[in-house]
Amino acid sequence: MRLRAAPRDTRFYDLLTAAAENIAAAMTLLDGFVQADGADREPLAREMRRLEHVGDDHTHALIELIDVTFVTPFDREDIYRLAVRLDDVVDAVDEVVDLAVLYSCTQFPPGVAEQVELLKKAAELTAEAMPKLRTPKDLVPYWQQISEVENAADQVHRRLLSLLFSGEYEPLTVMKLKDIVDGLEEAADAFEHAADVMHTIAVKES
Amino acid sequence: MRLRAAPRDTRFYDLLTAAAENIAAAMTLLDGFVQADGADREPLAREMRRLEHVGDDHTHALIELIDVTFVTPFDREDIYRLAVRLDDVVDAVDEVVDLAVLYSCTQFPPGVAEQVELLKKAAELTAEAMPKLRTPKDLVPYWQQISEVENAADQVHRRLLSLLFSGEYEPLTVMKLKDIVDGLEEAADAFEHAADVMHTIAVKES
Amino acid sequence: MRLRAAPRDTRFYDLLTAAAENIAAAMTLLDGFVQADGADREPLAREMRRLEHVGDDHTHALIELIDVTFVTPFDREDIYRLAVRLDDVVDAVDEVVDLAVLYSCTQFPPGVAEQVELLKKAAELTAEAMPKLRTPKDLVPYWQQISEVENAADQVHRRLLSLLFSGEYEPLTVMKLKDIVDGLEEAADAFEHAADVMHTIAVKES
């Protein structure tokens, strides 16, 4: 049964904002993780897994809300895509943390801290942007800023790849670290994909 | 031209069930493949390629059926997604078999047999679940079981990665085997994605 | 606000054709790139990045046109998918060029030139096919030919993987070259995915 949304139905905005805030929490945790001593990382990895499950719950709640709502505030397919893109961010960083533990990577090249700093910035921008879906013209500075952050992340990622293949590292170490820096770059890309969906929504609303 | 589906139109259920049964056949074949001597593997790889084509045919038949049917039993977009997810499973195992031949991998670490065992289980669960899309509440045990199988597969995959990077294998061997165990994990994930789409369908029907 | 498309609205066909012609330009550029001396490659890589941005502009223009048009010439979702698939092609070759510069790969195994030759062929076929979306039955030879090109590309890719793992190359070199030949194979696959979407469109129109 599909229910007509009340005119001021806030549940879509609330759930999307909660999903974005969960991502911001994941990035703060990631920051602690890459700075932690090897011994302290296991509980941080478990907490990251918990946040990944929280993200899944938000995604499922959004999908169920789309399904039971007769008139959604924007196209169903766009809400679905946005939920999936937000989920992709958390999945990517959860996998990075997981691999770092599994591979016993206790030290990262310096560029990794820069990647994480940019991901924190992207997460803050996204969490602030989400409630503005109600008034899409307020999102203009967000698209500009998220694009700048994504370009900066891309540059850092490229420098890291150059470093990894410079001959300074053993092949097996290159493979492990490449999985990690590629995973962080994937998270940066996922933020931009979420911003693209929000752009599509804004164009349709205008 | 779109035709109205007869009330008891069984073609969607039949095609989805056929696709899932083809996957189960592919997993049985995969099981034989990883146990076979190197010399006997070429015909098994050819048979897998044939099953991959059968899977493509089911997918195309489903997409064409969506397009010509006026009233589909559930949302077009969901049937499309489910067909693609099922296709992803066969594509993943076909690629694994292909790479194993190409890389001349004749011996696998023991965990690979465990991965294949879990994929067989997931395929059986999926084939049994498909006809129950008619009565979605009967799918509840399926979601529980597929999630358990996916978690078990994830654990086996993680143990395999640890083993590959333990220093026991040469770098080139690690690269080859990683492609294979990652491909099998991708197949396990694709089963869960199919189960997620079936969950979405069930929620909308309820 | 959605505008009703004029009966002979050509903007969708024009934009899709422009996107496909941009891909053909990217493939000609790629051909020059893999044949160039190391020293001459930087300006070619910059030009590729420019074409990648042109491709993004076409994609965004298509998405905006979908959003403001009341009656599109075919399903919105299919136009969206086709735009994304075409974009995937340019993204894949842009990334290959980028990695080749970053990794200082100045020499490629001979099969790479064959991959590029096949990509050029696929791009020409796609650019010629796009205006025929108006009269889908004229697309039949295109699907046949694109499938042949994709199968040939697949064979070349497999031979390249065999060569890379033959023991002739150092592990780090294998990793670098594998990223490049896999990226080119991804571009070949993206052409086939675009052809699949065009097939879906044609079936619905018939």
Side-chain angles (χ1 to χ4, degrees), chain B residues 54-109:
Chain B
V54 172
D56 283 348
D57 292 343
H58 290 312
T59 308
H60 290 140
L62 269 165
I63 291 176
E64 295 200 15
L65 187 55
I66 295 169
D67 293 336
V68 300
T69 304
F70 191 68
V71 179
T72 53
F74 8 91
D75 271 7
R76 281 162 212 288
E77 197 59 30
D78 290 330
I79 302 173
Y80 177 86
R81 278 191 194 114
L82 183 52
V84 170
R85 295 298 164 258
L86 294 175
D87 202 39
D88 288 346
V89 176
V90 189
D91 283 356
V93 296
D94 176 53
E95 193 176 341
V96 163
V97 164
D98 197 40
L99 289 176
V101 172
L102 196 65
Y103 292 163
S104 310
C105 293
T106 43
Q107 283 219 309
F108 301 102

Short mmCIF file of all heavy atoms in Angstrom, two decimals, chain B residues 54-109:
data_model
loop_
_atom_site.label_atom_id
_atom_site.label_comp_id
_atom_site.label_asym_id
_atom_site.label_seq_id
_atom_site.Cartn_x
_atom_site.Cartn_y
_atom_site.Cartn_z
N VAL B 54 23.79 -19.12 -22.20
CA VAL B 54 22.42 -19.43 -21.81
C VAL B 54 21.90 -18.34 -20.86
O VAL B 54 20.76 -17.84 -20.99
CB VAL B 54 22.34 -20.82 -21.13
CG1 VAL B 54 20.95 -21.06 -20.54
CG2 VAL B 54 22.69 -21.92 -22.13
N GLY B 55 22.75 -17.94 -19.91
CA GLY B 55 22.37 -16.87 -18.98
C GLY B 55 22.06 -15.58 -19.73
O GLY B 55 21.06 -14.90 -19.43
N ASP B 56 22.90 -15.22 -20.70
CA ASP B 56 22.63 -14.03 -21.52
C ASP B 56 21.29 -14.13 -22.21
O ASP B 56 20.54 -13.15 -22.29
CB ASP B 56 23.72 -13.87 -22.61
CG ASP B 56 25.01 -13.32 -22.05
OD1 ASP B 56 25.01 -12.84 -20.89
OD2 ASP B 56 26.02 -13.37 -22.77
N ASP B 57 20.99 -15.32 -22.74
CA ASP B 57 19.71 -15.50 -23.43
C ASP B 57 18.53 -15.28 -22.48
O ASP B 57 17.54 -14.64 -22.85
CB ASP B 57 19.62 -16.92 -24.04
CG ASP B 57 20.60 -17.10 -25.19
OD1 ASP B 57 21.11 -16.08 -25.72
OD2 ASP B 57 20.88 -18.26 -25.56
N HIS B 58 18.65 -15.81 -21.26
CA HIS B 58 17.57 -15.58 -20.28
C HIS B 58 17.41 -14.08 -20.00
O HIS B 58 16.29 -13.58 -19.93
CB HIS B 58 17.87 -16.31 -18.96
CG HIS B 58 17.78 -17.80 -19.05
ND1 HIS B 58 16.72 -18.44 -19.62
CD2 HIS B 58 18.62 -18.77 -18.63
CE1 HIS B 58 16.90 -19.75 -19.56
NE2 HIS B 58 18.05 -19.97 -18.97
N THR B 59 18.55 -13.40 -19.82
CA THR B 59 18.48 -11.96 -19.52
C THR B 59 17.80 -11.21 -20.65
O THR B 59 16.91 -10.38 -20.42
CB THR B 59 19.91 -11.40 -19.33
OG1 THR B 59 20.58 -12.20 -18.37
CG2 THR B 59 19.86 -9.96 -18.83
N HIS B 60 18.21 -11.49 -21.89
CA HIS B 60 17.61 -10.79 -23.02
C HIS B 60 16.12 -11.13 -23.14
O HIS B 60 15.31 -10.25 -23.43
CB HIS B 60 18.35 -11.13 -24.32
CG HIS B 60 19.72 -10.53 -24.36
ND1 HIS B 60 20.83 -11.17 -24.86
CD2 HIS B 60 20.18 -9.33 -23.92
CE1 HIS B 60 21.89 -10.39 -24.73
NE2 HIS B 60 21.52 -9.27 -24.17
N ALA B 61 15.78 -12.40 -22.92
CA ALA B 61 14.37 -12.78 -23.00
C ALA B 61 13.56 -12.03 -21.95
O ALA B 61 12.45 -11.55 -22.22
CB ALA B 61 14.23 -14.29 -22.82
N LEU B 62 14.12 -11.88 -20.74
CA LEU B 62 13.41 -11.15 -19.69
C LEU B 62 13.22 -9.69 -20.07
O LEU B 62 12.14 -9.12 -19.91
CB LEU B 62 14.17 -11.25 -18.36
CG LEU B 62 13.77 -12.41 -17.46
CD1 LEU B 62 14.82 -12.63 -16.38
CD2 LEU B 62 12.40 -12.13 -16.82
N ILE B 63 14.29 -9.07 -20.60
CA ILE B 63 14.21 -7.65 -20.96
C ILE B 63 13.18 -7.46 -22.08
O ILE B 63 12.36 -6.54 -22.03
CB ILE B 63 15.60 -7.11 -21.35
CG1 ILE B 63 16.48 -7.07 -20.09
CG2 ILE B 63 15.49 -5.72 -21.98
CD1 ILE B 63 17.92 -6.65 -20.34
N GLU B 64 13.18 -8.38 -23.05
CA GLU B 64 12.19 -8.25 -24.12
C GLU B 64 10.77 -8.47 -23.59
O GLU B 64 9.83 -7.79 -24.01
CB GLU B 64 12.51 -9.24 -25.26
CG GLU B 64 13.83 -8.88 -25.91
CD GLU B 64 13.99 -9.48 -27.31
OE1 GLU B 64 13.00 -9.94 -27.91
OE2 GLU B 64 15.13 -9.47 -27.79
N LEU B 65 10.63 -9.40 -22.65
CA LEU B 65 9.31 -9.66 -22.07
C LEU B 65 8.81 -8.43 -21.29
O LEU B 65 7.62 -8.07 -21.36
CB LEU B 65 9.37 -10.89 -21.16
CG LEU B 65 8.05 -11.41 -20.60
CD1 LEU B 65 7.05 -11.71 -21.71
CD2 LEU B 65 8.27 -12.66 -19.76
N ILE B 66 9.73 -7.78 -20.55
CA ILE B 66 9.35 -6.54 -19.85
C ILE B 66 8.82 -5.53 -20.87
O ILE B 66 7.82 -4.86 -20.65
CB ILE B 66 10.57 -5.92 -19.13
CG1 ILE B 66 11.08 -6.81 -18.00
CG2 ILE B 66 10.22 -4.53 -18.57
CD1 ILE B 66 12.44 -6.38 -17.43
N ASP B 67 9.53 -5.45 -22.00
CA ASP B 67 9.22 -4.40 -22.96
C ASP B 67 7.90 -4.61 -23.68
O ASP B 67 7.24 -3.64 -24.06
CB ASP B 67 10.35 -4.30 -24.01
CG ASP B 67 11.63 -3.80 -23.38
OD1 ASP B 67 11.56 -3.13 -22.33
OD2 ASP B 67 12.70 -4.09 -23.93
N VAL B 68 7.50 -5.86 -23.87
CA VAL B 68 6.27 -6.11 -24.63
C VAL B 68 5.06 -6.33 -23.74
O VAL B 68 3.96 -6.53 -24.23
CB VAL B 68 6.40 -7.32 -25.60
CG1 VAL B 68 7.52 -7.07 -26.61
CG2 VAL B 68 6.62 -8.61 -24.84
N THR B 69 5.27 -6.32 -22.40
CA THR B 69 4.18 -6.61 -21.49
C THR B 69 3.61 -5.32 -20.92
O THR B 69 4.36 -4.46 -20.47
CB THR B 69 4.67 -7.51 -20.34
OG1 THR B 69 5.26 -8.68 -20.92
CG2 THR B 69 3.52 -7.92 -19.44
N PHE B 70 2.29 -5.19 -20.97
CA PHE B 70 1.67 -3.95 -20.54
C PHE B 70 1.63 -3.85 -19.02
O PHE B 70 1.98 -2.84 -18.43
CB PHE B 70 0.26 -3.87 -21.13
CG PHE B 70 -0.35 -2.53 -20.97
CD1 PHE B 70 0.18 -1.44 -21.67
CD2 PHE B 70 -1.42 -2.32 -20.12
CE1 PHE B 70 -0.37 -0.18 -21.53
CE2 PHE B 70 -1.97 -1.05 -19.98
CZ PHE B 70 -1.45 0.01 -20.68
N VAL B 71 1.19 -4.92 -18.37
CA VAL B 71 1.14 -4.94 -16.91
C VAL B 71 2.05 -6.06 -16.42
O VAL B 71 1.71 -7.24 -16.55
CB VAL B 71 -0.29 -5.16 -16.38
CG1 VAL B 71 -0.28 -5.20 -14.85
CG2 VAL B 71 -1.21 -4.07 -16.88
N THR B 72 3.20 -5.71 -15.90
CA THR B 72 4.15 -6.71 -15.40
C THR B 72 3.77 -7.08 -13.97
O THR B 72 3.14 -6.29 -13.28
CB THR B 72 5.58 -6.16 -15.45
OG1 THR B 72 5.61 -4.91 -14.77
CG2 THR B 72 6.04 -5.95 -16.89
N PRO B 73 4.15 -8.29 -13.51
CA PRO B 73 3.73 -8.69 -12.16
C PRO B 73 4.37 -7.83 -11.06
O PRO B 73 3.83 -7.71 -9.97
CB PRO B 73 4.19 -10.15 -12.05
CG PRO B 73 5.17 -10.38 -13.15
CD PRO B 73 4.86 -9.38 -14.22
N PHE B 74 5.55 -7.27 -11.30
CA PHE B 74 6.10 -6.26 -10.37
C PHE B 74 6.80 -5.18 -11.21
O PHE B 74 6.84 -5.29 -12.45
CB PHE B 74 7.06 -6.84 -9.33
CG PHE B 74 7.44 -8.27 -9.52
CD1 PHE B 74 8.56 -8.61 -10.27
CD2 PHE B 74 6.69 -9.29 -8.96
CE1 PHE B 74 8.91 -9.92 -10.46
CE2 PHE B 74 7.03 -10.62 -9.15
CZ PHE B 74 8.16 -10.94 -9.90
N ASP B 75 7.32 -4.16 -10.54
CA ASP B 75 7.91 -3.01 -11.25
C ASP B 75 8.91 -3.46 -12.31
O ASP B 75 9.81 -4.25 -12.03
CB ASP B 75 8.64 -2.10 -10.24
CG ASP B 75 7.71 -1.05 -9.67
OD1 ASP B 75 6.50 -1.12 -9.94
OD2 ASP B 75 8.20 -0.17 -8.95
N ARG B 76 8.77 -2.88 -13.53
CA ARG B 76 9.70 -3.19 -14.61
C ARG B 76 11.15 -3.05 -14.17
O ARG B 76 12.00 -3.88 -14.47
CB ARG B 76 9.54 -2.17 -15.74
CG ARG B 76 8.39 -2.40 -16.62
CD ARG B 76 8.02 -1.17 -17.42
NE ARG B 76 6.59 -1.23 -17.61
CZ ARG B 76 6.02 -2.10 -18.44
NH1 ARG B 76 6.75 -2.89 -19.19
NH2 ARG B 76 4.72 -2.17 -18.52
N GLU B 77 11.42 -1.93 -13.51
CA GLU B 77 12.80 -1.60 -13.14
C GLU B 77 13.37 -2.67 -12.19
O GLU B 77 14.54 -3.01 -12.26
CB GLU B 77 12.82 -0.21 -12.50
CG GLU B 77 14.16 0.46 -12.40
CD GLU B 77 14.82 0.65 -13.76
OE1 GLU B 77 14.11 0.82 -14.79
OE2 GLU B 77 16.06 0.60 -13.80
N ASP B 78 12.52 -3.21 -11.31
CA ASP B 78 12.98 -4.24 -10.38
C ASP B 78 13.26 -5.56 -11.10
O ASP B 78 14.20 -6.27 -10.78
CB ASP B 78 11.94 -4.46 -9.27
CG ASP B 78 11.88 -3.27 -8.32
OD1 ASP B 78 12.91 -2.60 -8.14
OD2 ASP B 78 10.80 -3.01 -7.77
N ILE B 79 12.42 -5.91 -12.07
CA ILE B 79 12.65 -7.14 -12.84
C ILE B 79 13.96 -6.99 -13.62
O ILE B 79 14.80 -7.90 -13.65
CB ILE B 79 11.49 -7.42 -13.83
CG1 ILE B 79 10.17 -7.53 -13.06
CG2 ILE B 79 11.75 -8.72 -14.61
CD1 ILE B 79 8.95 -7.63 -13.99
N TYR B 80 14.13 -5.81 -14.22
CA TYR B 80 15.37 -5.52 -14.95
C TYR B 80 16.58 -5.69 -14.04
O TYR B 80 17.55 -6.38 -14.37
CB TYR B 80 15.29 -4.10 -15.51
CG TYR B 80 16.53 -3.66 -16.24
CD1 TYR B 80 16.70 -3.94 -17.59
CD2 TYR B 80 17.53 -2.96 -15.57
CE1 TYR B 80 17.84 -3.53 -18.26
CE2 TYR B 80 18.68 -2.55 -16.23
CZ TYR B 80 18.83 -2.84 -17.57
OH TYR B 80 19.97 -2.45 -18.22
N ARG B 81 16.51 -5.09 -12.84
CA ARG B 81 17.65 -5.19 -11.90
C ARG B 81 17.91 -6.63 -11.49
O ARG B 81 19.06 -7.05 -11.37
CB ARG B 81 17.33 -4.38 -10.62
CG ARG B 81 17.61 -2.91 -10.76
CD ARG B 81 17.55 -2.20 -9.40
NE ARG B 81 17.50 -0.78 -9.64
CZ ARG B 81 16.47 0.02 -9.36
NH1 ARG B 81 15.39 -0.48 -8.77
NH2 ARG B 81 16.51 1.30 -9.65
N LEU B 82 16.84 -7.38 -11.23
CA LEU B 82 17.02 -8.77 -10.81
C LEU B 82 17.68 -9.59 -11.92
O LEU B 82 18.60 -10.38 -11.67
CB LEU B 82 15.66 -9.36 -10.41
CG LEU B 82 15.65 -10.79 -9.87
CD1 LEU B 82 16.64 -10.96 -8.72
CD2 LEU B 82 14.24 -11.16 -9.39
N ALA B 83 17.23 -9.38 -13.17
CA ALA B 83 17.83 -10.09 -14.30
C ALA B 83 19.33 -9.78 -14.40
O ALA B 83 20.15 -10.68 -14.60
CB ALA B 83 17.12 -9.71 -15.60
N VAL B 84 19.68 -8.50 -14.22
CA VAL B 84 21.09 -8.09 -14.32
C VAL B 84 21.91 -8.72 -13.19
O VAL B 84 23.02 -9.20 -13.40
CB VAL B 84 21.21 -6.55 -14.32
CG1 VAL B 84 22.66 -6.12 -14.17
CG2 VAL B 84 20.61 -5.98 -15.60
N ARG B 85 21.36 -8.75 -11.99
CA ARG B 85 22.09 -9.33 -10.84
C ARG B 85 22.35 -10.82 -11.06
O ARG B 85 23.43 -11.32 -10.77
CB ARG B 85 21.32 -9.14 -9.53
CG ARG B 85 21.15 -7.72 -9.07
CD ARG B 85 22.48 -7.03 -8.80
NE ARG B 85 22.30 -5.60 -8.72
CZ ARG B 85 22.60 -4.74 -9.69
NH1 ARG B 85 23.11 -5.15 -10.83
NH2 ARG B 85 22.42 -3.45 -9.53
N LEU B 86 21.34 -11.52 -11.56
CA LEU B 86 21.51 -12.96 -11.82
C LEU B 86 22.58 -13.17 -12.89
O LEU B 86 23.43 -14.06 -12.78
CB LEU B 86 20.18 -13.59 -12.24
CG LEU B 86 19.08 -13.61 -11.16
CD1 LEU B 86 17.78 -14.16 -11.75
CD2 LEU B 86 19.50 -14.43 -9.94
N ASP B 87 22.56 -12.30 -13.90
CA ASP B 87 23.56 -12.38 -14.96
C ASP B 87 24.97 -12.13 -14.39
O ASP B 87 25.94 -12.75 -14.83
CB ASP B 87 23.21 -11.33 -16.02
CG ASP B 87 23.82 -11.66 -17.36
OD1 ASP B 87 23.84 -12.85 -17.72
OD2 ASP B 87 24.27 -10.74 -18.05
N ASP B 88 25.07 -11.21 -13.44
CA ASP B 88 26.37 -10.90 -12.83
C ASP B 88 27.01 -12.15 -12.21
O ASP B 88 28.23 -12.31 -12.25
CB ASP B 88 26.22 -9.85 -11.72
CG ASP B 88 25.93 -8.45 -12.27
OD1 ASP B 88 26.12 -8.24 -13.48
OD2 ASP B 88 25.53 -7.57 -11.48
N VAL B 89 26.18 -13.01 -11.60
CA VAL B 89 26.71 -14.22 -10.96
C VAL B 89 27.41 -15.10 -11.99
O VAL B 89 28.57 -15.50 -11.81
CB VAL B 89 25.60 -15.04 -10.27
CG1 VAL B 89 26.18 -16.33 -9.70
CG2 VAL B 89 24.92 -14.24 -9.17
N VAL B 90 26.72 -15.38 -13.10
CA VAL B 90 27.29 -16.27 -14.11
C VAL B 90 28.52 -15.63 -14.75
O VAL B 90 29.53 -16.29 -14.99
CB VAL B 90 26.25 -16.63 -15.20
CG1 VAL B 90 26.80 -17.71 -16.11
CG2 VAL B 90 24.96 -17.10 -14.57
N ASP B 91 28.43 -14.33 -15.02
CA ASP B 91 29.58 -13.63 -15.60
C ASP B 91 30.80 -13.76 -14.70
O ASP B 91 31.92 -13.99 -15.19
CB ASP B 91 29.27 -12.13 -15.79
CG ASP B 91 28.38 -11.88 -16.99
OD1 ASP B 91 28.07 -12.85 -17.72
OD2 ASP B 91 28.00 -10.73 -17.20
N ALA B 92 30.61 -13.62 -13.40
CA ALA B 92 31.74 -13.67 -12.47
C ALA B 92 32.40 -15.05 -12.47
O ALA B 92 33.63 -15.16 -12.56
CB ALA B 92 31.29 -13.29 -11.05
N VAL B 93 31.59 -16.12 -12.42
CA VAL B 93 32.22 -17.44 -12.37
C VAL B 93 32.80 -17.84 -13.72
O VAL B 93 33.82 -18.52 -13.79
CB VAL B 93 31.29 -18.56 -11.81
CG1 VAL B 93 30.94 -18.27 -10.36
CG2 VAL B 93 30.06 -18.74 -12.65
N ASP B 94 32.17 -17.40 -14.80
CA ASP B 94 32.74 -17.65 -16.12
C ASP B 94 34.12 -17.00 -16.23
O ASP B 94 35.06 -17.59 -16.76
CB ASP B 94 31.80 -17.12 -17.21
CG ASP B 94 32.40 -17.26 -18.61
OD1 ASP B 94 32.80 -18.39 -18.96
OD2 ASP B 94 32.46 -16.27 -19.33
N GLU B 95 34.23 -15.78 -15.72
CA GLU B 95 35.52 -15.09 -15.79
C GLU B 95 36.58 -15.79 -14.93
O GLU B 95 37.75 -15.88 -15.31
CB GLU B 95 35.37 -13.62 -15.40
CG GLU B 95 36.63 -12.85 -15.78
CD GLU B 95 36.54 -11.36 -15.50
OE1 GLU B 95 35.42 -10.84 -15.35
OE2 GLU B 95 37.61 -10.73 -15.43
N VAL B 96 36.15 -16.28 -13.77
CA VAL B 96 37.09 -17.01 -12.90
C VAL B 96 37.67 -18.23 -13.63
O VAL B 96 38.88 -18.47 -13.62
CB VAL B 96 36.39 -17.44 -11.59
CG1 VAL B 96 37.18 -18.53 -10.87
CG2 VAL B 96 36.21 -16.23 -10.68
N VAL B 97 36.78 -18.99 -14.25
CA VAL B 97 37.21 -20.19 -14.97
C VAL B 97 38.14 -19.82 -16.12
O VAL B 97 39.19 -20.45 -16.34
CB VAL B 97 35.96 -20.95 -15.48
CG1 VAL B 97 36.32 -21.97 -16.55
CG2 VAL B 97 35.26 -21.64 -14.30
N ASP B 98 37.77 -18.78 -16.82
CA ASP B 98 38.57 -18.29 -17.94
C ASP B 98 39.97 -17.90 -17.48
O ASP B 98 40.98 -18.29 -18.09
CB ASP B 98 37.82 -17.08 -18.51
CG ASP B 98 38.31 -16.73 -19.90
OD1 ASP B 98 38.56 -17.66 -20.68
OD2 ASP B 98 38.42 -15.53 -20.19
N LEU B 99 40.06 -17.16 -16.40
CA LEU B 99 41.36 -16.71 -15.89
C LEU B 99 42.19 -17.89 -15.39
O LEU B 99 43.41 -17.93 -15.59
CB LEU B 99 41.19 -15.69 -14.77
CG LEU B 99 40.69 -14.31 -15.19
CD1 LEU B 99 40.48 -13.43 -13.96
CD2 LEU B 99 41.66 -13.64 -16.16
N ALA B 100 41.53 -18.84 -14.75
CA ALA B 100 42.27 -20.00 -14.23
C ALA B 100 42.94 -20.77 -15.37
O ALA B 100 44.07 -21.23 -15.23
CB ALA B 100 41.32 -20.92 -13.44
N VAL B 101 42.25 -20.89 -16.50
CA VAL B 101 42.83 -21.55 -17.67
C VAL B 101 43.98 -20.70 -18.24
O VAL B 101 45.09 -21.17 -18.47
CB VAL B 101 41.76 -21.79 -18.76
CG1 VAL B 101 42.40 -22.29 -20.05
CG2 VAL B 101 40.72 -22.79 -18.26
N LEU B 102 43.68 -19.42 -18.41
CA LEU B 102 44.62 -18.47 -18.99
C LEU B 102 45.91 -18.39 -18.17
O LEU B 102 47.02 -18.31 -18.70
CB LEU B 102 43.93 -17.12 -19.02
CG LEU B 102 44.48 -16.02 -19.88
CD1 LEU B 102 44.37 -16.41 -21.34
CD2 LEU B 102 43.68 -14.73 -19.64
N TYR B 103 45.77 -18.36 -16.85
CA TYR B 103 46.92 -18.24 -15.95
C TYR B 103 47.57 -19.60 -15.66
O TYR B 103 48.52 -19.66 -14.88
CB TYR B 103 46.48 -17.66 -14.60
CG TYR B 103 46.03 -16.21 -14.60
CD1 TYR B 103 45.30 -15.71 -13.52
CD2 TYR B 103 46.34 -15.34 -15.64
CE1 TYR B 103 44.89 -14.39 -13.48
CE2 TYR B 103 45.92 -14.02 -15.61
CZ TYR B 103 45.20 -13.55 -14.53
OH TYR B 103 44.78 -12.25 -14.49
N SER B 104 46.99 -20.66 -16.24
CA SER B 104 47.46 -22.02 -15.93
C SER B 104 47.52 -22.29 -14.44
O SER B 104 48.47 -22.89 -13.94
CB SER B 104 48.85 -22.27 -16.56
OG SER B 104 48.87 -21.92 -17.91
N CYS B 105 46.51 -21.83 -13.72
CA CYS B 105 46.41 -22.15 -12.29
C CYS B 105 45.86 -23.55 -12.17
O CYS B 105 44.66 -23.76 -12.42
CB CYS B 105 45.44 -21.22 -11.56
SG CYS B 105 45.97 -19.53 -11.47
N THR B 106 46.69 -24.52 -11.81
CA THR B 106 46.17 -25.88 -11.71
C THR B 106 45.94 -26.28 -10.26
O THR B 106 45.24 -27.25 -10.00
CB THR B 106 47.13 -26.88 -12.37
OG1 THR B 106 48.45 -26.53 -12.00
CG2 THR B 106 46.98 -26.83 -13.89
N GLN B 107 46.53 -25.51 -9.36
CA GLN B 107 46.30 -25.83 -7.94
C GLN B 107 45.80 -24.60 -7.21
O GLN B 107 46.32 -23.49 -7.40
CB GLN B 107 47.61 -26.29 -7.31
CG GLN B 107 47.96 -27.71 -7.70
CD GLN B 107 48.55 -28.43 -6.53
OE1 GLN B 107 49.49 -27.95 -5.90
NE2 GLN B 107 48.01 -29.59 -6.21
N PHE B 108 44.79 -24.81 -6.39
CA PHE B 108 44.23 -23.70 -5.65
C PHE B 108 44.47 -23.90 -4.16
O PHE B 108 44.49 -25.04 -3.69
CB PHE B 108 42.73 -23.61 -5.91
CG PHE B 108 42.40 -23.42 -7.37
CD1 PHE B 108 41.95 -24.50 -8.13
CD2 PHE B 108 42.56 -22.19 -7.97
CE1 PHE B 108 41.65 -24.32 -9.47
CE2 PHE B 108 42.26 -22.01 -9.32
CZ PHE B 108 41.82 -23.08 -10.07
N PRO B 109 44.60 -22.82 -3.40
CA PRO B 109 44.66 -22.97 -1.94
C PRO B 109 43.36 -23.61 -1.47
O PRO B 109 42.31 -23.44 -2.14
CB PRO B 109 44.76 -21.53 -1.44
CG PRO B 109 45.12 -20.68 -2.61
CD PRO B 109 44.63 -21.41 -3.83
#
